[in-house]
Amino acid sequence: MALNLLNRNRGEGEDEMSFIDHLEALRWHIVRSAFAIVIVAIVIFIKMNWIFDTIIRGPIRKDFISYTGLCNLGHKLHMGDALCLDSVAGLQLQTTQFGSQFISSINIAIVGGFVVAFPYVFWELWRFVKPALSPKELKSSRGGIFWVSFFFLLGVAFGYFLLAPFTFSFLFNYSIGAAGAIKTIPTLDDYVENLVDIIIGSGLAFQLPLVSYVLTSIGLITPRFLRTYRKYAYVAILFIAAIITPSPDWMSQTIVALPLILLYELSIRVSVRVTKRQEKRDNEEWS
């Protein structure tokens, strides 16, 4: 059945590919994707000192653009220091093993290589899946590579410039007890792991409209389903925003929650459009 699906869009003059042929094609798509990631990772590793000081340490530097930008925005809106995040200037990273810095450099290079090469990696995946799609499916998925890459990189930017500063500011300044007996000195591995989780997690979370498109197309969800659970989604989003924002004011929580709420609303609109198009197609077939 899987082979028939993969071969259904081939011309009559072409020989059907065997299971081994499909595995061979998939292997070369994976090899080319891995090669692209490795090439970018090597460049990042060579420039590791600049990458680490400028980009990786960005969300914990007091002069990071998000800290200064939000604070200046708050002042222009006559909100005082409501949007000024608690200082992380005193945050120092440490390592407890000899190889920690080297291993972290490799992790940073690989993750950075994946993020930069993501459009190409997804394009390779699309090239493998494309022969299995019908002409109607190909028409419906037009521009898919651009939108998947766009929302992924948009999510990465959201995680890096907004979510990471709020998260690290909150976690660094949170303390147990009033005596100040505990000092937060995170390890390099812990910081890099949290930063990667935030960035990649945000990139995947921003795929929500595209996931809505796919699930609606195959009939797993409907606009009614998304509208029914909208209030629960809003509560979950606001709860998460309230936890990671250090200030109790509504503005800082809104800055974090609003993009996620807009994503959910966009997912509903996408689901509505897909449903209407399917209904129109069904009516044309029955008429």
Side-chain angles (χ1 to χ4, degrees), residues 228-262:
T228 300
Y229 288 93
R230 172 192 276 150
K231 54 185 177 183
Y232 302 108
Y234 280 15
V235 170
I237 291 173
L238 293 174
F239 179 74
I240 295 173
I243 290 177
I244 66 174
T245 49
S247 175
D249 67 281
W250 63 270
M251 180 60 75
S252 59
Q253 296 178 16
T254 301
I255 290 176
V256 174
L258 185 59
L260 301 178
I261 292 175
L262 292 177

Side-chain angles (χ1 to χ4, degrees), residues 127-145:
R127 289 179 60 196
F128 176 72
V129 175
K130 185 178 179 180
L133 302 180
S134 66
K136 288 184 178 180
E137 290 170 336
L138 287 172
K139 185 177 180 181
S140 299
S141 58
R142 188 177 300 169
I145 297 174

Side-chain angles (χ1 to χ4, degrees), residues 26-144:
L26 177 61
R27 183 174 74 89
W28 281 108
H29 286 299
I30 294 176
V31 167
R32 286 191 291 267
S33 299
F35 184 74
I37 294 174
V38 169
I39 291 298
V40 178
I42 291 174
V43 175
I44 293 176
F45 191 85
I46 293 174
K47 299 291 184 179
M48 183 55 63
N49 288 339
W50 183 86
I51 295 290
F52 183 80
D53 291 336
T54 306
I55 299 177
I56 303 302
R57 286 190 64 250
I60 59 173
R61 289 171 47 187
K62 64 179 180 180
D63 60 344
F64 187 51
I65 185 172
S66 296
Y67 294 119
T68 57
L70 289 173
C71 197
N72 291 335
L73 177 62
H75 292 159
K76 290 182 179 179
L77 296 177
H78 305 289
M79 298 174 59
D81 295 334
L83 296 183
C84 298
L85 301 180
D86 293 335
S87 176
V88 292
L91 195 157
Q92 296 291 326
L93 302 177
Q94 64 174 334
T95 58
T96 57
Q97 297 177 345
F98 283 112
S100 293
Q101 296 190 54
F102 178 71
I103 297 300
S104 294
S105 297
I106 295 178
N107 292 336
I108 292 169
I110 293 176
V111 174
F114 173 76
V115 171
V116 175
F118 179 83
Y120 177 79
V121 172
F122 185 77
W123 179 69
E124 285 289 350
L125 176 63
W126 171 252
R127 289 179 60 196
F128 176 72
V129 175
K130 185 178 179 180
L133 302 180
S134 66
K136 288 184 178 180
E137 290 170 336
L138 287 172
K139 185 177 180 181
S140 299
S141 58
R142 188 177 300 169

Side-chain angles (χ1 to χ4, degrees), residues 108-266:
I108 292 169
I110 293 176
V111 174
F114 173 76
V115 171
V116 175
F118 179 83
Y120 177 79
V121 172
F122 185 77
W123 179 69
E124 285 289 350
L125 176 63
W126 171 252
R127 289 179 60 196
F128 176 72
V129 175
K130 185 178 179 180
L133 302 180
S134 66
K136 288 184 178 180
E137 290 170 336
L138 287 172
K139 185 177 180 181
S140 299
S141 58
R142 188 177 300 169
I145 297 174
F146 169 79
W147 288 113
V148 170
S149 302
F150 172 77
F151 279 110
F152 178 79
L153 296 177
L154 184 64
V156 167
F158 171 76
Y160 180 75
F161 288 105
L162 279 180
L163 202 54
F166 276 108
T167 301
F168 289 127
S169 176
F170 168 73
L171 295 178
F172 177 66
N173 290 283
Y174 180 85
S175 60
I176 301 176
I182 303 175
K183 186 176 182 181
T184 301
I185 308 178
T187 63
L188 174 63
D189 295 340
D190 181 40
Y191 172 71
V192 171
E193 181 181 353
N194 278 277
L195 182 61
V196 169
D197 289 343
I198 291 172
I199 291 176
I200 300 299
S202 298
L204 296 178
F206 269 58
Q207 300 297 315
L208 184 59
L210 302 176
V211 172
S212 174
Y213 176 87
V214 173
L215 295 183
T216 304
S217 298
I218 61 180
L220 289 182
I221 64 172
T222 62
R224 181 178 179 182
F225 173 86
L226 294 175
R227 291 193 183 104
T228 300
Y229 288 93
R230 172 192 276 150
K231 54 185 177 183
Y232 302 108
Y234 280 15
V235 170
I237 291 173
L238 293 174
F239 179 74
I240 295 173
I243 290 177
I244 66 174
T245 49
S247 175
D249 67 281
W250 63 270
M251 180 60 75
S252 59
Q253 296 178 16
T254 301
I255 290 176
V256 174
L258 185 59
L260 301 178
I261 292 175
L262 292 177
L263 276 177
Y264 193 86
E265 291 298 326
L266 179 60

Side-chain angles (χ1 to χ4, degrees), residues 2-42:
L3 291 180
N4 292 335
L5 177 65
L6 289 170
N7 287 311
R8 71 181 186 184
N9 200 36
R10 296 185 174 275
E12 295 180 358
E14 299 183 53
D15 295 330
E16 289 190 355
M17 295 176 65
S18 66
F19 179 72
I20 300 300
D21 293 333
H22 284 300
L23 288 181
E24 180 68 13
L26 177 61
R27 183 174 74 89
W28 281 108
H29 286 299
I30 294 176
V31 167
R32 286 191 291 267
S33 299
F35 184 74
I37 294 174
V38 169
I39 291 298
V40 178
I42 291 174

